[in-house]
Amino acid sequence: MAAPKKQQKKKVRINKNLRCQLCIEGISEVSYKDTYRISKFLSRRGKIIPRIRTGTCARHQNQIANAVKNARYMALLPYTNNI
Ligand SMILES: [Zn+2]
């Protein structure tokens, strides 16, 4: 019996030159009602994209995470998105 092949992990390219887009735009508070802005930080599946991939700062990432969770509860954003 042959040993199972090791699954290769997909390498995610990380751009270290990314800057926090919300800091550049000068947004101090992220609202759950602003679904257009929040949806840019969600994957196609509806998951929150980690800040290493979007370049968001810790303060804004925290605000985004809370806004997404509020928006999901208010049925403005989906919990999951089946493709
Ligand atoms: Zn920021």
Side-chain angles (χ1 to χ4, degrees):
M1 216 171 101
K5 274 186 181 176
K6 268 192 180 176
Q7 279 190 336
Q8 279 191 329
K9 270 192 178 178
K10 243 187 184 179
K11 276 190 181 173
V12 179
R13 204 175 275 177
I14 294 160
N15 190 354
K16 287 181 179 176
N17 298 324
L18 283 171
R19 300 284 309 278
C20 178
Q21 289 304 308
L22 298 171
C23 282
I24 291 165
E25 286 176 44
I27 293 151
S28 54
E29 286 282 320
V30 182
S31 173
Y32 70 91
K33 294 173 197 166
D34 199 355
T35 48
Y36 178 74
R37 180 163 282 137
I38 298 170
S39 61
K40 287 177 181 172
F41 296 94
L42 296 177
S43 69
R44 285 176 67 194
R45 277 266 176 190
K47 296 168 93 177
I48 303 167
I49 302 172
R51 75 196 183 93
I52 196 155
R53 278 179 59 194
T54 57
T56 320
C57 67
R59 195 173 71 106
H60 278 126
Q61 182 71 13
N62 207 358
Q63 287 182 6
I64 289 165
N66 284 327
V68 166
K69 285 163 191 173
N70 275 329
R72 282 174 181 163
Y73 183 72
M74 301 298 282
L76 299 171
L77 288 174
Y79 280 92
T80 57
N81 210 352
N82 284 330
I83 302 163

mmCIF file of all heavy atoms in Angstrom, residues 20 23 57 60, ligand 1:
data_model
loop_
_atom_site.group_PDB
_atom_site.id
_atom_site.type_symbol
_atom_site.label_atom_id
_atom_site.label_comp_id
_atom_site.label_asym_id
_atom_site.label_seq_id
_atom_site.Cartn_x
_atom_site.Cartn_y
_atom_site.Cartn_z
ATOM 1 N N CYS A 20 -3.230 50.671 4.813
ATOM 2 C CA CYS A 20 -4.619 50.620 5.248
ATOM 3 C C CYS A 20 -5.445 51.615 4.434
ATOM 4 O O CYS A 20 -5.195 52.820 4.498
ATOM 5 C CB CYS A 20 -4.711 50.928 6.736
ATOM 6 S SG CYS A 20 -6.398 50.941 7.331
ATOM 7 N N CYS A 23 -7.436 54.210 6.544
ATOM 8 C CA CYS A 23 -6.622 55.303 7.081
ATOM 9 C C CYS A 23 -6.355 56.339 5.987
ATOM 10 O O CYS A 23 -6.396 57.537 6.243
ATOM 11 C CB CYS A 23 -5.294 54.760 7.617
ATOM 12 S SG CYS A 23 -5.428 53.986 9.224
ATOM 13 N N CYS A 57 -4.989 48.184 9.054
ATOM 14 C CA CYS A 57 -4.352 48.297 10.364
ATOM 15 C C CYS A 57 -5.225 47.595 11.408
ATOM 16 O O CYS A 57 -6.387 47.285 11.150
ATOM 17 C CB CYS A 57 -4.137 49.759 10.742
ATOM 18 S SG CYS A 57 -5.649 50.669 11.040
ATOM 19 N N HIS A 60 -8.651 49.345 12.408
ATOM 20 C CA HIS A 60 -9.701 49.273 11.400
ATOM 21 C C HIS A 60 -10.162 47.840 11.160
ATOM 22 O O HIS A 60 -11.326 47.603 10.877
ATOM 23 C CB HIS A 60 -9.222 49.913 10.095
ATOM 24 C CG HIS A 60 -9.347 51.411 10.099
ATOM 25 N ND1 HIS A 60 -8.300 52.236 9.823
ATOM 26 C CD2 HIS A 60 -10.412 52.199 10.372
ATOM 27 C CE1 HIS A 60 -8.722 53.496 9.924
ATOM 28 N NE2 HIS A 60 -9.991 53.489 10.260
HETATM 29 ZN ZN ZN B 1 -6.445 51.945 9.373
#
